[in-house]
Amino acid sequence: MLLTLDTGSTIGWTLGPRSADATPDEVAFGSFKLAETTDLGAYLLSADDFLQDAFRQVSAWAIEIPNTQHAKSAAAAAKMMGLYAHALYTARLMQAPPPSVFTPSEVKLALTGNGAAKKGKYNPEMETAARKLGYAVQNDHEPDAVGIRRAYTHG
């Protein structure tokens, strides 16, 4: 199984076959909201059960490097980078293989054909592209996870 993770205050994820031919019906996806706290340790611990459960099921995984350029504060950037490192650490503890790592531009390009695609309420290019593929995404974290999956499977 292939796990993809978009790390942030909400983790977007997919879990499904490693094949590029896998359909959305074969791929579980969703999002996991982390604790809203200024305590970085508590924030990271709130991801533990989710990450450990996810890594028990994988033969491969992929993650997007956090883009701290748009972080609203140094604390927000620390959370982004901390969660990225925590996912790497948890994967190692769970004896998961090393990840495939993608930049935000690679993820956007894989999903939309545009490495500068926008996401969010007013520019939903990522969400629209994920929905066209058959993923009923509910927020702007889930399309990122779908994009990471496409970057991995369509390399």
Side-chain angles (χ1 to χ4, degrees):
M1 297 291 270
L2 169 64
L3 171 69
T4 65
L5 295 174
D6 171 54
T7 55
S9 59
T10 298
I11 297 173
W13 59 271
T14 69
L15 182 64
R18 293 172 68 174
S19 169
D21 298 326
T23 66
D25 290 337
E26 298 173 284
V27 178
F29 70 95
S31 52
F32 178 80
K33 180 80 172 139
L34 277 75
E36 293 186 27
T37 176
T38 57
D39 180 331
L40 183 58
Y43 175 78
L44 297 176
L45 283 174
S46 73
D48 271 359
D49 289 341
F50 170 81
L51 290 172
Q52 288 176 20
D53 288 345
F55 285 122
R56 282 187 183 97
Q57 305 174 55
V58 304
S59 58
W61 70 290
I63 191 168
E64 179 183 45
I65 295 172
N67 181 358
T68 60
Q69 178 181 1
H70 302 294
K72 294 182 169 104
S73 66
K79 284 182 174 181
M80 293 168 77
M81 294 307 297
L83 184 57
Y84 174 78
H86 190 58
L88 296 171
Y89 176 75
T90 303
R92 181 73 176 122
L93 285 178
M94 301 300 295
Q95 300 181 341
S100 295
V101 180
F102 298 98
T103 66
S105 293
E106 289 172 316
V107 170
K108 290 174 180 181
L109 182 64
L111 185 58
T112 68
N114 174 4
K118 305 294 183 199
K119 65 178 190 173
K121 185 176 181 179
Y122 301 107
N123 291 299
E125 292 174 73
M126 294 286 285
E127 293 91 332
T128 299
R131 287 187 185 111
K132 283 182 181 177
L133 292 173
Y135 293 91
V137 295
Q138 301 298 311
N139 56 48
D140 64 350
H141 306 285
E142 293 170 2
D144 286 348
V146 173
I148 296 165
R149 178 177 177 75
R150 294 218 16 121
Y152 180 93
T153 59
H154 292 80

